[in-house]
Amino acid sequence: MNEAAKLVRRSVIKGSGSALPARIMTNADMSKVVDTSDEWIVERTGIKARHIANDSETTRTLGTEAARRALKHAGLGADAVDLIIVATSTPDQTFPATATLVQADLGITRGAAFDVQAVCSGFVYGLSVADAMIKSGQAQCVLVIGSETFSRILDWTDRTTCVLFGDGAGAVVLQAEMVPDSPASPGIMVTRIRSDGRYHDKLYVDGGPSTTKTVGHLRMEGREVFKHAVVNIASVMDEAMAEARITAADVDWFVPHQANRRILEGTARKLGIREDRIVMTLDRHGNTSAASIPLAFDAAIQDGRIHKGDLVLFEAMGGGFTWGAVLARY
Ligand code: UT7
């Protein structure tokens, strides 16, 4: 048998899109709300501004807008989609899943739609589930959306958390394709997801339907999360690259979850990643949790940095703790 002719079923990224609320809140605006300064926020995090949703902008509306743009970019109609996964920790309602609301907005009545809840790692989890559904033949065309309105769950009197987060949504369209079994072929090559629930109380929301019957507010032991972030992210990226038999030098673009510039720089140092290979949108978006990776990915496609054929490594770490990495050729 001719090995070169062997074809494999891969999840290929056909399009991407994003949506941001109209209102921009700068660090100067933030310093009118809590006792903070532009200098502290920029030095400790790298964030300069974030978008904040108004009352009519929700996880559903932002997610739907990002999905529409991703479908347009892919040149596909909504009728092609047979699975919608929304990664979010800030759903419009406790139930039904925001994915079903997006499905209705897009006029899709077939296939399935569900939410994935892995906080800041949600988009990486969503890609991993979507890839498994495509590889097993259960889905042909999947919308993976990260959409968040964290501004709704922030304690606006707590300067240690409210300065960090923002709202927004990003989406990709994955489609099943038979491609030559080669690292040069497009599609998702490796997905790795992890969690360690012993740390569930380091980054959490202090409310929920089954306990307080309220939505609650975000709470975080920032230093504790920081300590684990670099170690966990570096180890899962190492695993993903080892499985694909590549090194950091082979990766064209690192598209990380955007939590803190110092975490990204620390990870880059640990793995020998060149800083000009890291897509960073943290300065203008802040931390948008599950939306941050697809927002950054879309920004780098739109500004012409990421091209078809580039090898891209996505990674994230968040509440749970959860973390993960996805290696894909665009
Ligand atoms: O997306 C999910 C994953 N999340 C993360 O990865 C976040 C990880 N953690 C972090 O990014 C950082 O820990 C933070 C940015 C949250 C905090 O930075 P830090 O360097 O760890 O600061 P710290 O919490 O140790 O606080 C240092 C000082 C404290 O003052 P004292 O006790 O030294 O007098 C804080 O009260 O900075 C003070 N501080 C602030 N000052 C001005 C904390 N927040 C602020 C603020 N403005 N907004």
Side-chain angles (χ1 to χ4, degrees):
M1 191 183 145
N2 180 0
E3 278 301 314
K6 191 180 157 205
L7 296 178
V8 286
R9 187 175 164 96
R10 283 245 188 107
S11 314
V12 178
I13 302 172
K14 304 301 282 188
S16 87
S18 58
L20 288 159
R23 181 181 161 214
I24 294 170
M25 189 175 187
T26 64
N27 289 348
D29 299 330
M30 195 60 82
S31 67
K32 292 179 193 134
V33 178
V34 284
D35 179 17
T36 190
S37 64
D38 177 53
E39 194 189 7
W40 189 94
I41 302 172
V42 171
E43 192 192 306
R44 306 310 295 167
T45 73
I47 299 165
K48 293 178 183 154
R50 69 291 287 148
H51 291 250
I52 301 290
N54 65 29
D55 288 347
S56 66
E57 292 165 325
T58 71
T59 296
R60 169 194 192 161
T61 68
L62 294 166
T64 298
E65 191 54 38
R68 281 193 213 285
R69 289 177 184 163
L71 285 167
K72 187 163 180 236
H73 185 228
L76 291 167
D79 54 343
V81 176
D82 59 3
L83 177 62
I84 300 172
I85 298 175
V86 172
T88 190
S89 303
T90 46
D92 277 41
Q93 295 156 256
T94 303
F95 76 78
T98 303
T100 61
L101 308 177
V102 171
Q103 185 189 30
D105 290 345
L106 295 176
I108 301 171
T109 54
R110 71 190 193 101
F114 58 84
D115 288 0
V116 162
Q117 219 285 43
V119 204
C120 299
S121 312
F123 186 74
V124 163
Y125 269 59
L127 284 181
S128 181
V129 173
D131 184 47
M133 292 291 279
I134 285 178
K135 283 203 177 120
S136 68
Q138 293 191 71
Q140 299 295 322
C141 182
V142 187
L143 263 172
V144 184
I145 304 163
S147 186
E148 301 278 20
T149 44
F150 260 50
S151 63
R152 312 278 209 252
I153 55 164
L154 294 175
D155 174 350
W156 286 96
T157 65
D158 176 12
R159 70 174 182 174
T160 69
T161 52
C162 75
V163 303
L164 305 172
F165 296 90
D167 302 333
V172 295
V173 186
L174 298 176
Q175 206 170 29
E177 264 180 33
M178 298 304 291
V179 298
D181 188 9
S182 152
S185 293
I188 292 178
M189 291 156 71
V190 179
T191 75
R192 274 277 179 285
I193 53 172
R194 292 276 182 274
S195 65
D196 188 343
R198 285 176 300 171
Y199 300 101
H200 64 90
D201 57 354
K202 302 297 173 203
L203 172 49
Y204 66 101
V205 166
D206 62 4
S210 182
T211 50
T212 58
K213 295 178 244 170
T214 61
V215 172
H217 291 112
L218 182 148
R219 307 290 172 207
M220 175 164 72
E221 286 179 37
R223 258 188 226 183
E224 197 61 24
V225 180
F226 194 109
K227 216 170 67 189
H228 287 87
V230 176
V231 177
N232 288 347
I233 291 165
S235 94
V236 81
M237 283 164 78
D238 257 342
E239 276 180 38
M241 290 191 287
E243 187 178 327
R245 294 203 188 89
I246 59 158
T247 67
D250 300 315
V251 177
D252 295 302
W253 294 104
F254 291 86
V255 185
H257 168 52
Q258 314 276 320
N260 189 315
R261 171 180 270 274
R262 290 182 293 140
I263 293 176
L264 304 192
E265 288 170 352
T267 313
R269 266 197 306 276
K270 215 172 158 71
L271 295 181
I273 297 166
R274 273 173 42 198
E275 274 183 33
D276 62 355
R277 298 281 101 191
I278 305 174
V279 177
M280 228 181 292
T281 49
L282 182 74
D283 54 338
R284 51 198 158 115
H285 298 162
N287 179 346
T288 57
S289 191
S292 84
I293 292 176
L295 268 166
F297 182 62
D298 193 48
I301 287 176
Q302 283 189 37
D303 68 23
R305 271 180 291 172
I306 297 181
H307 296 105
K308 288 265 179 213
D310 283 353
L311 192 58
V312 182
L313 185 53
F314 304 104
E315 56 86 348
M317 143 100 188
F321 292 146
T322 54
W323 65 101
V326 172
L327 186 66
R329 191 168 295 283
Y330 177 46

